[in-house]
Amino acid sequence: MTIGAALPAGDLSGAANSVEELLAQTREAAAAGLRSVWFSQLFDHDAVTLAALAGREVPGIAVGTAVVPLYPRHPLHLAAQAQTAQAATGGRFTLGLGMGVRSLLEPAFGFEYPPPITSLRESLTVLRDIFGGSRPLFDGETLTACPPLPTTVPGGGDVPIVVAAMGHQALRVAGELADGTLPFLAGPRALADHIVPVLTKAAADAGRPQPRVIAAVPAVVTDDAGPVRQIAAVHLGYYGDIPSYRRILDVEGATHAADLALIGDERVVEAGLRRYFDAGATEIVLIQSGMRSARDRLRTWRLAGSLNARAH
């Protein structure tokens, strides 16, 4: 049972230098007792670079990406970045990958979006070869990876991979080829009845270890729940219109994505977090804890730090 946090946490606006602010927040996370920080990839900063910097800046804290979309990245490039981050942090980096949202990414980059499950399987195959110390010789349906020069980075091997998988096919591929999953907006019911059984069986069938289940959970500790819920409805509202998220929300029985946000005092949020662990989560990553203020974020992180301390 460990709890970390995703950055940015929702309170980055106004920063004169966003990288310096995120590194400062990493130090705050470590001081609060969080075990890990995870950086999201959008269209601005580079998540793998931030993770490497944060892990170098704050010794002891685990770092990762939550998540980097595979499209339109080639696994050779991802492997080079991930191994560099792993070496820079002394083995504290986890590569979190996602398949991305086609309607958002394809118009932005202008490349044809590949069949997602095939792309996921082929990319993981290449990444696993490289992280295991082999030079890949791969010619698949969605990608070719036949580099003429070495691909390994001394000190950067054995990079753990987790996939933001929620559908059956993606979970089976993640169980077979990755080290776990990092689902967002998959509530306790969806974890217990859908995600954990499919992922665990796929890993067992492939002879792999028990997979990590890292639940990404919106959470804010506050005494002023009403206004924060209104903010959450705005921040999370569009997820209900994305088919993959709509399906997992339906599994949970949630009408709106904001219904899954844990908002309230320490007692309320702690009880909500425990439901995720009871459902099979091995780790939790707190999302958008600063959606209203840095004060809320720090209060939320201190609660998480106290839960980490009690668990260890």
Side-chain angles (χ1 to χ4, degrees):
M1 171 180 162
T2 61
I3 304 175
L7 294 176
D11 58 340
L12 194 61
S13 62
N17 184 315
S18 61
V19 172
E20 291 294 344
E21 176 62 23
L22 289 169
L23 294 178
Q25 290 188 12
T26 301
R27 289 189 287 270
E28 291 176 341
L34 296 184
R35 304 291 183 184
S36 60
V37 290
W38 301 74
F39 294 91
S40 59
Q41 181 71 57
L42 297 174
F43 294 104
D44 41 22
H45 59 251
D46 182 74
V48 179
T49 302
L50 279 170
L53 289 170
R56 193 79 173 177
E57 182 88 4
V58 186
I61 198 164
V63 296
T65 56
V67 293
V68 174
L70 283 170
Y71 170 94
R73 295 161 181 83
H74 194 284
L76 290 178
H77 291 147
L78 277 173
Q81 286 185 292
Q83 289 180 100
T84 302
Q86 180 77 317
T89 60
R92 287 177 282 124
F93 175 76
T94 295
L95 178 62
L97 299 173
M99 290 175 285
V101 178
R102 179 174 187 169
S103 61
L104 180 69
L105 294 173
E106 193 172 60
F109 291 104
F111 300 112
E112 184 179 356
Y113 193 84
I117 300 302
T118 302
S119 174
L120 175 63
R121 177 176 291 281
E122 295 186 348
S123 293
L124 290 177
T125 299
V126 172
L127 289 169
R128 275 293 172 213
D129 281 349
I130 296 173
F131 295 161
S134 300
R135 190 187 308 181
L137 292 173
F138 187 86
D139 187 13
E141 294 180 36
T142 67
L143 65 90
T144 295
C146 299
L149 298 172
T151 55
T152 55
V153 175
D158 296 324
V159 177
I161 306 171
V162 293
V163 179
M166 295 186 289
H168 277 85
Q169 293 184 75
L171 285 166
R172 285 194 289 267
V173 174
E176 179 185 343
L177 293 171
D179 298 290
T181 186
L182 203 166
F184 177 44
L185 296 179
R189 183 188 303 172
L191 282 180
D193 297 345
H194 169 64
I195 288 175
V196 173
V198 175
L199 181 73
T200 302
K201 183 180 186 305
D205 289 347
R208 294 187 57 79
Q210 185 76 13
R212 297 166 69 179
V213 179
I214 309 168
V217 183
V220 181
V221 175
T222 178
D223 294 320
D224 202 12
V228 178
R229 287 197 177 281
Q230 293 176 356
I231 295 170
V234 174
H235 280 228
L236 303 173
Y238 69 95
Y239 285 101
D241 297 326
I242 299 173
S244 58
Y245 287 103
R246 181 69 265 164
R247 286 191 292 271
I248 205 67
L249 290 171
D250 289 342
V251 170
E252 187 65 26
T255 302
H256 193 286
D259 296 341
L260 293 178
L262 303 178
I263 299 171
D265 62 16
E266 282 81 358
R267 178 184 56 82
V268 169
V269 173
E270 178 179 347
L273 294 175
R274 291 194 181 279
R275 286 194 291 272
Y276 281 87
F277 287 119
D278 291 343
T282 60
E283 304 165 53
I284 287 176
V285 175
L286 303 175
I287 303 287
Q288 290 288 310
S289 296
M291 65 174 75
R292 184 177 69 163
S293 70
R295 180 179 179 181
D296 288 344
R297 169 174 57 79
L298 290 170
R299 184 176 171 184
T300 307
W301 287 2
R302 284 193 290 268
L303 169 65
S306 71
L307 295 176
N308 281 333
R310 278 185 253 165
H312 291 82

